[in-house]
Amino acid sequence: MASTATAPTPAKGHPKGLYLLFTTEMWERMSYYGMRALLVLYMVGATDKGGFGWSQSKALQIFGIYTGLVYATPVIGGFLADRYLGQRLSVTLGGILMMLGQFVLAMPGNSEALFFGGLGLLVVGNGFFKPNISTMVGGLYAPGDARRDGAFTIFYIGINVGAFLASAVCGTLGEKFGWGWGFGSAGVGMALGVLVFLAFGKRLLGDVGLAPKPVERKVGAAAAPKVALSRQEKDRVIVILVLALFVVFFWAAFEQAGGLMNLYTDAKVDRGVFGFEVPTTWFQAVNPLFIMLLGPIFAEMWTGMGRKGKDPSIPAKMAMGLLLVSFGFVFMLGASKQTETAGKAALMWVVAAYFFHTAGELCLSPVGLSMVTKLAPTRYASLLMGVWFIANAVANYLAGLIGGYAEKLGEFNLFMAITVATAVAGAVLLGLAPVLKRMMHGADATTPVAQPTSSEASPGLSPSA
């Protein structure tokens, strides 16, 4: 298993390693979201303008398969990091593969072989990168450290700074100057992320994320079949799996932003502002912009409620996320009704939907990442982070399938189905929240607690795993 010893941290503020991981993730997310903003538009784009000219349903199906695989491969990448490579080497390898994938997509010629080859490199690279950089954030903090949830909120803001840059840079270049320019700029962003990580990783991360020593791998492999999970560990893993099920509902709805909502905005929204037509890809920057604005507010809100002993449980926060994303789709219902009567929907309907989707995301996503690092047994830290991303994999695949039904059902009926499904899921999870909180056995406590036994330690925190 990978070494998960903690790096020295100051009494106040956050360790410098957090900001290195923030920066590395920022550039990687610029790369990913830059490609995401362009992908479906590229696939349905006219062939005389460099696109493939595919149907909307085919493009969304491919989009769903691709994004699903992106979030499925972290299980393998997490396992390899825990057992052999360590998180740090895995992040470097993943970043290099993703950089190459973007450059392959940028090659001229409109070749399907290059297109799918580039996507394949991105899928494999993300499998190494995604679970391991998140696990290292948790590895910077000791058990019960109240800064951990705040650290993941800071880290999450980094994700969305990258997503904002993606729309502003990659989206604009792709739409205005050619698809290759957009994909190429995403590759440059990933290259910058790898260089920053390699330049400062050794100095700022200490021994967090290093590969296990050969003797540790041998002993761990020999002992693994004999290790029993304690009752607390079993309950905590069950909580991860149950919450992952509900997360599927959230992301299947939320990820319409890159597919159906992207195409809907392109074709059926009046994007004119004072005589200027806003590029479609710029709408992908609305969510990260709201994250940057609302993230500090949410972080302070949770901290303030915690000081008063009123901080909602993790399952309750995630239920709020589902209810908020449901409410956001109410505005898409308004947009689709206006489209039926006026031909084009007002821009503010879509912006309002993104606002509530973002609020829901802040209740669910950074909280979920932090939760996994608290609940997962140390020896399976990156593996269970990968399992957590399986929920995203399933959700992204379903998002593509669901979005494709818009051509048959119409946008209004599809948005209504999404609204109802996420509202019901949120209500059910809210009802289950007290039970799930008990099954966490105090792992979400933000005050120092007694050191757990080696079989019960939180991931990324034990001096030796």
Side-chain angles (χ1 to χ4, degrees):
M1 290 167 289
S3 171
T4 53
T6 57
T9 59
K12 295 182 180 180
H14 290 277
K16 293 180 180 179
L18 173 64
Y19 300 99
L20 171 63
L21 298 176
F22 170 106
T23 304
T24 305
E25 178 75 351
M26 178 192 76
W27 286 116
E28 186 276 331
R29 288 291 88 182
M30 176 192 170
S31 171
Y32 175 77
Y33 282 103
M35 179 281 307
R36 179 179 178 269
L38 297 171
L39 192 57
V40 292
L41 300 176
Y42 176 47
M43 288 190 282
V44 303
T47 55
D48 62 347
K49 294 184 178 179
F52 284 106
W54 293 337
S55 68
Q56 177 174 311
S57 60
K58 179 179 179 178
L60 289 173
Q61 184 179 20
I62 293 172
F63 180 79
I65 293 171
Y66 163 71
T67 52
L69 289 173
V70 158
Y71 286 104
T73 51
V75 173
I76 301 172
F79 170 78
L80 293 174
D82 284 338
R83 183 61 61 88
Y84 303 109
L85 303 177
Q87 289 97 16
R88 201 178 300 184
L89 177 59
S90 297
V91 165
T92 303
L93 178 60
I96 292 171
L97 289 173
M98 287 189 286
M99 175 191 70
L100 294 174
Q102 298 285 14
F103 289 147
V104 169
L105 289 176
M107 290 182 180
N110 204 24
S111 164
E112 289 191 22
L114 289 176
F115 176 72
F116 289 112
L119 293 184
L121 286 169
L122 290 170
V123 166
V124 175
N126 192 80
F128 283 107
F129 189 99
K130 190 67 177 174
N132 294 302
I133 195 164
S134 299
T135 301
M136 280 195 289
V137 174
L140 293 169
Y141 298 89
D145 194 323
R147 297 174 298 168
R148 183 186 294 219
D149 284 354
F152 272 95
T153 301
I154 292 170
F155 179 70
Y156 206 72
I157 292 172
I159 291 174
N160 287 277
V161 171
F164 179 80
L165 291 173
S167 297
V169 178
C170 308
T172 302
L173 289 173
E175 272 197 280
K176 300 299 182 183
F177 299 98
W179 306 112
W181 286 97
F183 294 127
S185 62
V188 171
M190 190 66 258
L192 290 172
V194 172
L195 290 173
V196 168
F197 187 74
L198 289 174
F200 298 101
K202 184 176 182 179
R203 179 154 57 94
L204 299 182
L205 294 175
D207 57 357
V208 171
L210 292 179
K213 298 176 182 178
V215 66
E216 291 174 342
R217 286 202 297 265
K218 184 177 180 180
V219 172
K226 301 177 183 178
V227 174
L229 288 165
S230 69
R231 174 61 186 271
Q232 284 191 355
E233 284 183 326
K234 289 178 181 178
D235 283 351
R236 289 170 177 174
V237 171
I238 289 171
V239 171
I240 292 174
L241 297 178
V242 170
L243 291 177
L245 176 64
F246 284 95
V247 162
V248 170
F249 285 86
F250 179 88
W251 291 117
F254 183 92
E255 288 297 335
Q256 298 301 322
L260 177 60
M261 288 176 67
N262 201 9
L263 293 171
Y264 180 85
T265 302
D266 186 56
K268 298 184 178 182
V269 171
D270 181 1
R271 293 179 279 116
V273 178
F274 301 116
F276 171 73
E277 185 175 62
V278 179
T280 303
T281 53
W282 285 18
F283 282 83
Q284 299 298 303
V286 174
N287 166 250
L289 179 61
F290 281 143
I291 288 283
M292 289 184 282
L293 294 174
L294 298 178
I297 296 173
F298 271 73
E300 180 58 33
M301 179 177 69
W302 300 139
T303 302
M305 294 176 75
R307 284 195 294 263
K308 299 175 183 178
K310 297 181 179 179
D311 190 23
S313 68
I314 287 172
K317 289 177 181 177
M318 297 178 80
M320 293 177 201
L322 278 160
L323 295 173
L324 284 166
V325 81
S326 174
F327 187 68
F329 273 100
V330 171
F331 293 91
M332 295 308 300
L333 292 173
S336 57
K337 275 297 182 184
Q338 187 176 24
T339 300
E340 293 174 3
T341 57
K344 292 274 189 178
L347 177 150
M348 292 310 299
W349 286 112
V350 178
V351 173
Y354 280 132
F355 176 85
F356 286 100
H357 289 182
T358 301
E361 184 183 6
L362 284 167
C363 289
L364 181 138
S365 190
V367 169
L369 292 174
S370 180
M371 178 270 298
V372 175
T373 71
K374 293 175 181 178
L375 300 185
T378 305
R379 58 192 176 277
Y380 306 127
S382 291
L383 175 63
L384 281 170
M385 185 64 78
V387 170
W388 180 250
F389 286 123
I390 282 287
N392 296 65
V394 174
N396 276 271
Y397 177 69
L398 290 176
L401 291 181
I402 292 167
Y405 277 100
E407 291 181 326
K408 298 179 181 178
L409 301 177
E411 282 92 356
F412 181 86
N413 291 331
L414 190 61
F415 290 146
M416 177 63 77
I418 294 172
T419 302
V420 172
T422 48
V424 170
V428 171
L429 180 54
L430 196 60
L432 291 175
V435 177
L436 295 174
K437 180 176 173 61
R438 287 195 296 271
M439 293 177 68
M440 293 169 69
H441 297 287
D444 58 341
T446 56
T447 55
V449 294
Q451 287 288 347
T453 64
S454 60
S455 65
E456 295 176 349
S458 295
L461 301 174
S462 174
S464 61

